Amino acid sequence: MNKIRRDFQRQLIETEDARNELRPILGEELSKAAVINLAYRGMAGSLICIMAITSLDFEIFTCCKGGISDAAYDFNWFWRQLRKIENLSDLVLADIRPAVKTPTFIDIVRDPIFSGLSTAAIWALIMEVTKSSGIAILSVGIVLLFDSVVLYYWRKKKR
Amino acid sequence: MSQVNKGERQIIDTLQKNGFKVTRERAFGPKWIVDLVGEREDAILLVEFKSGAPVSHADIFDLVALRNSQQFRDKNTKCFILNTGKFQLDKDAPIMKVAEAGKITIIHGENLSNVIGELNSAIARALS
C-alpha cells in the first residue's frame, strides 16, 4: 500500500470522503465497515477504492454514476497504472465479476443493425421477385420473426 | 442451467432437510442471479457459491442490495456465501467485518463438502 501511495502519480482522495461518497449507495453500516486503504478518482470519473479483503488480498472497487462501462474503463486504466509501478508487476487478478445482463428478445429485435439491414434486404428481394408490396410486407414480417427467434436462442445458448 | 455437482447436491439436500424448497440459478431482474434460493413459509435463504478467491466487497454489496430490493425487503431473508478454495480467510479478516455489517454469513472451507456441517448450524443460528 505504501508503495502505491508513494509511486502512483494521482491525487489521493481522503478515505472519509470516499466513504461519504459510498454512503448513499451502500448505506450507513456497510460504508462504515468497509476498510478503504486508498481511494482515487478515475479518468472517467469513477471512485476507485483499494479495500482490504484479507491480509494478503485486496480489492479494487470501482463505482461510477455514469454506468458499468465507465467503471470498467477506469478499472482497466487503474490496473494498467498499478502494473507500471516497479515491483508491483507481479500483482495477480484473482477474480473479475462483470455485470450480467442476458439480452432479451426485444433487445435483439430492436438492434438497428440487425433489424434495419435484414428488413431492407428482404424487402428489396421480395419486391424484385413479386412486384407486390403486400406480399413483400407479409414475407418480411414472417422472415424477420423467424430470424429474431433463431438469433435470440443462438445468443442465449452462446452465453 | 449447469449440472449439479456432488458438493452442490449436498448443499441442496441440507436446505431441503431444513424444510426449504430449493431453486437453482434463479434470476431476479436483469441484475441478479442467485445460485440457490431456499423458500419456506417463514423464511427465504439466498445462497451464493464463490470458489477460488475470497469473497469481495462487491459480492457482499450485491447480495445486500438484492436483499434490500422490493422483492425481499419485507420478508425474513437470510443470506449466505459459501466460499471455497485454498486460501486463508479467518474470522478477523476485514471482509468478515463487512459481511457482519451487511448481515451476510460467509462460510469458508476448502471445498463444498467441508462447509455443509457449518451451513446447517449457520441456518439454525440465523433462523433462531
Side-chain angles (χ1 to χ4, degrees):
Chain A
M1 277 310 129
N2 286 337
K3 186 147 189 63
I4 297 173
R5 189 193 301 269
R6 208 172 43 237
D7 293 2
F8 191 57
Q9 304 294 316
R10 297 288 292 193
Q11 173 99 44
L12 263 171
I13 294 176
E14 290 294 323
T15 51
E16 259 328 289
D17 293 341
R19 210 179 294 283
N20 288 339
E21 202 169 323
L22 289 175
R23 189 165 293 132
I25 309 165
L26 305 178
E28 185 68 37
E29 289 293 306
L30 277 178
S31 59
K32 209 188 281 178
V35 181
I36 301 172
N37 296 76
L38 297 171
Y40 295 95
R41 181 71 57 198
M43 301 292 276
S46 310
L47 175 68
I48 303 172
C49 298
I50 300 186
M51 296 177 178
I53 293 178
T54 67
S55 54
L56 295 172
D57 301 287
F58 292 88
E59 177 174 356
I60 303 169
F61 180 84
T62 54
C63 66
C64 189
K65 283 178 192 156
I68 187 79
S69 57
D70 286 349
Y73 176 87
D74 276 337
F75 174 85
N76 288 330
W77 165 79
F78 188 72
W79 180 246
R80 280 199 305 273
Q81 303 306 311
L82 279 190
R83 303 265 297 165
K84 281 181 194 164
I85 297 176
E86 207 183 335
N87 295 336
L88 284 183
S89 53
D90 54 350
L91 283 177
V92 177
L93 278 179
D95 175 41
I96 304 174
R97 287 183 342 107
V100 177
K101 188 184 183 299
T102 308
T104 62
F105 181 77
I106 300 297
D107 284 341
I108 294 166
V109 173
R110 76 180 176 197
D111 181 341
I113 296 173
F114 166 75
S115 51
L117 283 178
S118 35
T119 307
I122 295 162
W123 171 266
L125 185 72
I126 294 171
M127 271 296 280
E128 189 59 38
V129 174
T130 63
K131 310 285 182 204
S132 156
S133 57
I135 294 172
I137 287 169
L138 194 67
S139 312
V140 165
I142 293 166
V143 173
L144 264 182
L145 192 67
F146 177 74
D147 276 358
S148 311
V149 171
V150 170
L151 193 65
Y152 172 68
Y153 284 106
W154 174 67
R155 280 179 66 169
K156 208 174 157 188
K157 196 178 165 194
K158 224 173 71 170
R159 273 156 202 271
Chain B
M1 203 175 274
S2 57
Q3 292 288 310
V4 185
N5 61 36
K6 193 184 159 201
E8 206 176 321
R9 183 74 258 165
Q10 288 173 304
I11 301 290
I12 293 171
D13 289 344
T14 304
L15 299 187
Q16 285 172 338
K17 275 179 200 154
N18 280 281
F20 288 94
K21 185 175 163 252
V22 181
T23 322
R24 293 178 64 236
E25 291 175 10
R26 187 147 152 207
F28 297 97
K31 241 174 130 182
W32 293 291
I33 296 173
V34 179
D35 291 326
L36 291 180
V37 179
E39 288 170 287
R40 208 167 73 174
E41 231 171 64
D42 61 334
I44 295 176
L45 303 185
L46 303 178
V47 182
E48 286 277 69
F49 300 129
K50 168 126 185 186
S51 62
V55 171
S56 67
H57 290 77
D59 295 324
I60 292 172
F61 298 159
D62 268 0
L63 206 49
V64 171
L66 175 61
R67 193 189 53 211
N68 291 345
S69 69
Q70 208 175 7
Q71 197 146 7
F72 296 107
R73 199 177 300 152
D74 303 324
K75 294 175 182 162
N76 182 21
T77 308
K78 306 292 177 191
C79 302
F80 298 87
I81 301 178
L82 309 184
N83 196 190
T84 55
K86 288 183 183 175
F87 49 80
Q88 278 285 9
L89 188 65
D90 47 50
K91 297 238 181 298
D92 300 326
I95 198 69
M96 289 302 210
K97 307 280 173 209
V98 180
E100 201 181 317
K103 298 188 179 71
I104 303 265
T105 307
I106 296 176
I107 305 174
H108 173 242
E110 238 180 79
N111 52 53
L112 276 183
S113 308
N114 297 138
V115 304
I116 289 168
E118 209 178 321
L119 175 64
N120 227 338
S121 48
I123 291 172
R125 265 199 314 274
L127 297 175
S128 62

